């Protein structure tokens, strides 16, 4: 395959991951669709040729333009901070945490999502291990704030931004952790002061 020569370090910086993650992609062939698109774009080849290793390479394929492309709406990376003493949270756009998360337009259409109402953020802490690890990137749909039994949500609880799985038990909603150590991560009652920010709809992780 004729492609640009790009070092693992350069590819990692372009895709917003570690060089080890890039090595893992090429060693195992396991890579998410959005990262595959970024790799193909950086190498100046089509996704189809990158996957198959075949095709006419006399003229390089024109890379897909990801900036403001209506066919590949992007989701901004953010950090959230609970606002003390009031209901709500502050959104800080993370321009230094890598490029936006990109999905095909038909993915949003299939699920009824609106990209401008979605946010990508990093997981902190170990309360959701093994489902989510610290540093994993998740995408949340801020239009979905109605509790769902057994579904993970980002919530504001006791002045903190947390990722918890909502569980219905004896007529009460609970914020629960997936971590088996329930002494360190006990479930909490979801009361009137709890604010649901959005449903977790996508996870990107470097753990296999």
């Amino acid at each position: 395959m004729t492609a640009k020569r790009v070092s693992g370090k350069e590819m990692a910086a372009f895709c917003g991951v570690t060089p080890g993650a890039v090595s893992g992609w090429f060693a195992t062939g396991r890579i998410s669709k959005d990262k595959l698109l970024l790799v193909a774009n950086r190498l100046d080849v089509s996704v189809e040729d990158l996957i198959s290793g075949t095709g006419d390479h006399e003229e390089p394929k024109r890379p897909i333009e990801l900036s403001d492309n209506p066919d590949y709406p992007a989701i901004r990376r953010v950090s959230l901070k609970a606002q003390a003493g009031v209901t709500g949270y502050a959104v800080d756009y993370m321009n230094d945490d890598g490029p936006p998360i990109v999905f095909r337009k038909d993915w949003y259409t299939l699920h009824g999502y609106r990209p401008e109402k979605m946010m990508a953020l990093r997981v902190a802490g170990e309360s959701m291990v093994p489902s989510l690890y610290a540093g994993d990137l998740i995408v949340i749909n801020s239009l979905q704030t109605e509790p769902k039994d057994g579904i993970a949500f980002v919530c504001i609880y006791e002045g903190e931004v947390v990722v918890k799985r909502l569980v219905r038990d004896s007529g009460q909603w609970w914020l629960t952790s997936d971590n088996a150590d329930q002494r360190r991560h006990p479930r909490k009652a979801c009361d009137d002061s709890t604010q649901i920010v959005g449903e977790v709809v996508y996870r990107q992780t470097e753990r296999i």
Side-chain angles (χ1 to χ4, degrees):
M1 179 185 297
T2 301
K4 290 182 177 179
R5 295 182 65 86
V6 179
S7 70
K9 186 176 181 180
E10 290 173 331
M11 184 64 74
F14 183 80
C15 295
V17 299
T18 64
V22 173
S23 298
W25 296 342
F26 289 98
T28 66
R30 298 178 62 180
I31 181 173
S32 63
K33 291 182 179 179
D34 59 315
K35 294 303 184 188
L36 181 64
L37 179 61
L38 287 174
V39 170
N41 189 32
R42 185 66 181 88
L43 294 177
D44 203 15
V45 297
S46 70
V47 171
E48 292 76 16
D49 286 349
L50 184 62
I51 293 173
S52 66
T54 61
D56 181 4
H57 302 292
E58 292 182 2
E59 293 184 7
K61 295 290 193 301
R62 183 178 180 181
I64 297 173
E65 178 58 56
L66 298 179
S67 178
D68 298 321
N69 188 337
D71 292 325
Y72 292 87
I75 298 172
R76 295 288 300 274
R77 297 173 185 248
V78 305
S79 66
L80 302 179
K81 183 177 181 180
Q83 295 181 326
V86 297
T87 301
Y89 55 92
V91 178
D92 182 19
Y93 292 99
M94 306 293 290
N95 296 321
D96 59 348
D97 191 35
I101 304 301
V102 178
F103 295 96
R104 287 176 56 94
K105 183 179 179 180
D106 53 9
W107 181 77
Y108 298 97
T109 302
L110 176 65
H111 297 285
Y113 298 150
R114 292 169 54 188
E116 72 275 11
K117 295 297 183 181
M118 305 181 78
M119 296 178 283
L121 60 152
R122 296 284 180 186
V123 174
E126 301 179 347
S127 70
M128 292 299 287
V129 172
S131 301
L132 297 170
Y133 290 86
D136 284 357
L137 190 70
I138 58 174
V139 172
I140 64 173
N141 177 18
S142 67
L143 289 179
Q144 179 51 261
T145 58
E146 289 296 319
K148 295 180 182 179
D149 193 18
I151 302 300
F153 286 83
V154 171
C155 304
I156 307 296
Y157 180 79
E158 294 184 346
E160 292 186 45
V161 178
V162 297
V163 182
K164 296 292 181 182
R165 197 172 301 281
L166 292 184
V167 173
R168 186 73 170 174
D169 185 20
S170 301
Q172 169 73 49
W173 285 105
W174 297 86
L175 300 173
T176 67
S177 301
D178 288 356
N179 194 307
D181 189 351
Q182 294 297 304
R183 291 180 300 175
R184 291 180 57 200
H185 307 283
R187 70 177 187 173
K188 304 287 187 179
C190 187
D191 55 29
D192 293 338
S193 65
T194 304
Q195 180 182 2
I196 298 177
V197 177
E199 178 185 352
V200 178
V201 298
Y202 175 84
R203 177 193 69 159
Q204 186 179 101
T205 184
E206 294 184 15
R207 292 179 177 264
I208 300 175

